[in-house]
Amino acid sequence: MDMFVVGQSAETKTKITKELTINRMGRTGADVLSTPSLLKLMEECCIEASDPYLQDGYTTVGYAVDGLRHVAPTAIGQYVTVKSVLTEVDRNRLTYSIEAMEGDKQIGVATHKRAAIPRE
């Protein structure tokens, strides 16, 4: 766990596809990024931020998401950039602050907690 330092970060960029959307309006063209898919993108970004610092034989598992807010829609074909920043290290527990953006528009925020555990 000595390799983890507050401030470490990762950034991912994802093109929104039909598989990541929901259409609650039932109208053609009203497909937008679903909240579960946004959470998936956020968790994947935190994994990217943690994996390079893990000892051999270890992985991380998510155990909490706090303050998740999905504040704006994102249409198919648009790109979402997610940035996660490590804000706390407590033994094997990692806390990340996450922001999701579509261009210069914030579409989501959350705090995510992961624990580093042996694979075996």
Side-chain angles (χ1 to χ4, degrees):
M1 295 302 298
D2 294 337
M3 299 298 293
F4 289 99
V5 178
V6 169
Q8 291 170 333
S9 65
E11 188 171 294
T12 59
K13 188 173 184 177
T14 305
K15 185 175 183 178
I16 303 307
T17 62
K18 175 80 171 162
E19 295 75 29
L20 296 172
T21 66
I22 191 165
N23 185 338
R24 298 288 297 150
M25 306 302 266
R27 294 190 311 251
T28 301
D31 303 271
V32 294
L33 177 65
S34 71
T35 301
S37 292
L38 175 61
L39 177 57
K40 173 187 181 295
L41 297 178
M42 290 175 159
E43 184 170 18
E44 289 172 345
C45 187
C46 291
I47 291 167
E48 289 229 1
S50 62
D51 277 1
Y53 304 101
L54 289 170
Q55 296 173 350
D56 287 341
Y58 278 76
T59 189
T60 59
V61 293
Y63 69 91
V65 176
D66 299 317
L68 175 63
R69 298 291 179 264
H70 188 175
V71 297
T74 304
I76 292 173
Q78 299 302 308
Y79 286 87
V80 170
T81 301
V82 177
K83 183 173 184 180
S84 63
V85 178
L86 184 61
T87 59
E88 183 180 349
V89 179
D90 179 13
R91 298 178 312 249
N92 70 322
R93 297 181 193 133
L94 309 169
T95 302
Y96 290 92
S97 176
I98 311 163
E99 182 177 46
M101 306 286 291
E102 179 194 333
D104 61 356
K105 175 180 71 172
Q106 184 185 72
I107 64 158
V109 295
T111 299
H112 182 47
K113 297 180 185 251
R114 303 190 67 75
I117 61 168
R119 287 186 182 273
E120 298 298 319

